[in-house]
Amino acid sequence: MARQPEVKYINAYVSGSMAYQLNTAPARKKKRVTLPKPRREKKVVVRLDPVAICGIAMAAVLLVLLVVGFTRLQDARAEAAALESYVSDLWEENKQLQDTYSSGYDLDEIEKIAQAMGMVPQSQIPQVEIEVNVPQQESQPTAWESFFAFLTGLFA
């Protein structure tokens, strides 16, 4: 028997004039290597809120006023303490002067001298009570009272 040639039939449809190539794979495109682009550095922008700035400024002003008020309070307390010590010194001096003054005279001797000059004791003076009657003045009617009287007389 004779050998038959090896014939392979390919069952592939052909569309148009293009024939499929079975043995070759589609050519892959080579990817280009892309280097990373240097990124631009973003500018740091700090946004300031005007209301927040006003609040911070107000807080700073209030802090300064608080410190000033505290120092004035301390000064006032120191002055009050100095004045209290001055008043206590004056009380002591007044007490000493009263003691000196009261020890410088005798009340019995002064009473004898006054009686010799014509002083009369209060218990020996006659007391007279007087009553005074003040006449009451008739009050004049006010403008409203006179107007009301006029209206009652008009409609009566």
Side-chain angles (χ1 to χ4, degrees):
M1 267 204 83
R3 216 171 163 201
Q4 290 188 353
E6 291 183 23
V7 177
K8 293 184 180 178
Y9 293 100
I10 302 173
N11 292 330
Y13 291 99
V14 177
S15 64
S17 64
M18 183 171 94
Y20 292 112
Q21 297 178 358
L22 296 177
N23 293 338
T24 62
R28 292 184 181 180
K29 293 183 181 177
K30 289 187 177 180
K31 291 184 179 177
R32 289 187 176 181
V33 176
T34 57
L35 297 175
K37 293 181 182 177
R39 293 185 182 182
R40 291 183 183 175
E41 291 184 18
K42 290 184 179 179
K43 293 181 181 178
V44 177
V45 178
V46 177
R47 307 249 181 220
L48 299 176
D49 186 17
V51 175
I53 291 174
C54 290
I56 291 170
M58 182 62 70
V61 167
L62 289 176
L63 179 66
V64 168
L65 290 175
L66 180 70
V67 170
V68 169
F70 184 72
T71 56
R72 289 181 66 189
L73 176 66
Q74 293 300 327
D75 293 343
R77 284 183 180 171
E79 185 177 348
L83 290 175
E84 284 179 8
S85 66
Y86 178 68
V87 167
S88 65
D89 291 343
L90 286 178
W91 275 104
E92 290 175 12
E93 183 181 351
N94 187 22
K95 196 172 198 179
Q96 289 174 356
L97 289 175
Q98 281 182 348
D99 291 341
T100 305
Y101 179 72
S102 62
S103 65
Y105 62 86
D106 186 21
L107 290 178
D108 294 331
E109 183 180 331
I110 292 174
E111 185 179 1
K112 287 178 186 177
I113 295 172
Q115 286 177 355
M117 292 175 71
M119 182 185 92
V120 180
Q122 183 179 3
S123 60
Q124 294 177 1
I125 297 176
Q127 295 183 359
V128 179
E129 291 183 17
I130 300 174
E131 286 187 30
V132 178
N133 293 329
V134 178
Q136 292 185 356
Q137 297 178 355
E138 293 184 20
S139 62
Q140 296 291 331
T142 62
W144 285 108
E145 290 174 347
S146 62
F147 179 72
F148 185 69
F150 172 74
L151 287 179
T152 55
L154 187 66
F155 292 112

